[in-house]
Structures are given as C-alpha cells and as structure tokens.
C-alpha cells in the first residue's frame, strides 16, 4: 500500500512539474544576442538570461537561491525587498496568486558590466503575445566579477487592470537603496 501511495504521489508531482515547465516561456538567447558584444558582455548576458529564465518564467526559486544568493545584490525597485532572498520571497507570493506569470524577453542589450532586458510581462497565459495586456518592463542589471550585484527597473502598465493593480499594490517602500 505504501509503495502504491508513494508511486502515485511521485507520478503526480512529476506530472505537475512537467506541466508547469512545459508552458513556461523560454528566452531565446541565440536570437537575442548581438554580434558586436565582447566576450565579457556575452558572458554577462548569458548569466542574466539564466537568472531571469529561472526566476521569472520557470519560477525555480530553489535554483535561484542556490546559484544567485549573494548578499551583494542591491535592489533599486523601491517596492521590492532588498537582496536575492527578499526578491525570491516576493515572487513566491506573487506567483502563488498569479501562477501563469511570465516574462517574454523582446530585446537584450549589453554594455560592459550592464545588461538590459526589454520585456513583456503578463499575469494570464491567454495574454502572452498581446501587447495590449500586461506590463512593458525595462530591467537593468550590473554585473561585477561574474555576480549580479545591482538591479533597476522601469515598469509601464499596458491595460486598465494592470494600472489598477499597480495603483493598489504599489507605494510600500521595501528598501532604502534609492532609485538611482
């Protein structure tokens, strides 16, 4: 009986994990990379791509904590907690409410130690690809010695529901780092 119960539980967990990962958008790095990037810029852009794919699309928070949990990470979005564990905690709660949240990267720019993503974030799977829904996000990360050490962003709500969400959920200062 215990074997059957264990096997059934394992099958259920595997199925749910596969189903969740199957629908997650994938950042197509080979299409987004630029031929004029230096070797270091390419390395930095790959690092941020791995971070974002696992954090924002795969929601693989254990992976992010294991690979990117560095106390040097400074968050400049005043509505988000500082450091990687604060960011992961926020997103864990966020995706509990919005499990289909995804981040479709449209452009990647690299300039020395800075990597910039221009993306379309949506809360609903049916809104993916619809530029009238969700949020237009510009993220900038600073890389130092192969580590992501700083993050800034600018977010534009694209539809009324996202504007209302931003209005009601924004405004709580979660860190003292300033926006610049």
């Amino acid at each position: 009986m215990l074997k059957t119960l264990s096997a059934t539980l394992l099958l259920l967990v595997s199925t749910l994990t596969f189903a969740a990962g199957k629908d997650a958008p994938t950042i197509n790095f080979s299409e987004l990379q630029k031929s004029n990037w230096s070797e270091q810029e390419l390395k930095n852009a790959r690092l941020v791509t791995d971070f974002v794919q696992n954090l924002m699309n795969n929601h693989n928070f254990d992976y992010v904590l294991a690979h990117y949990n560095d106390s040097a990470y400074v968050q400049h979005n005043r509505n988000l907690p500082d450091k990687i564990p604060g960011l992961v905690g926020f997103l864990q709660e966020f995706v509990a409410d919005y499990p289909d949240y995804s981040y479709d990267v449209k452009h990647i720019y690299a300039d020395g130690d800075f990597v910039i993503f221009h993306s379309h974030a949506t809360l609903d799977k049916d809104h993916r690809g619809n530029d009238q829904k969700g949020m237009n996000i510009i993220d900038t990360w600073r890389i130092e010695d192969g580590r992501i050490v700083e993050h800034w962003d600018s977010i534009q709500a694209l539809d009324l529901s996202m504007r209302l969400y931003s209005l009601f959920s924004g405004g709580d200062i979660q860190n003292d780092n300033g926006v610049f």
Side-chain angles (χ1 to χ4, degrees), residues 6 45 53 72 82 111 125 150:
S6 297
Q53 180 64 43
D82 206 17
D111 184 10
K125 193 180 337 184
E150 268 183 294

Side-chain angles (χ1 to χ4, degrees), residues 23 25 59 94 97-104 120-130 133-135 159 161-162:
D23 289 336
H59 308 149
F94 189 78
D97 293 335
Y98 304 99
D100 289 333
Y101 174 73
S102 67
Y103 189 89
D104 181 15
H120 180 217
T122 53
L123 302 180
D124 187 327
K125 193 180 337 184
D126 294 335
H127 294 166
R128 292 178 187 162
N130 181 348
K133 300 287 185 180
M135 298 168 282
D159 61 274
S161 65
M162 288 311 305

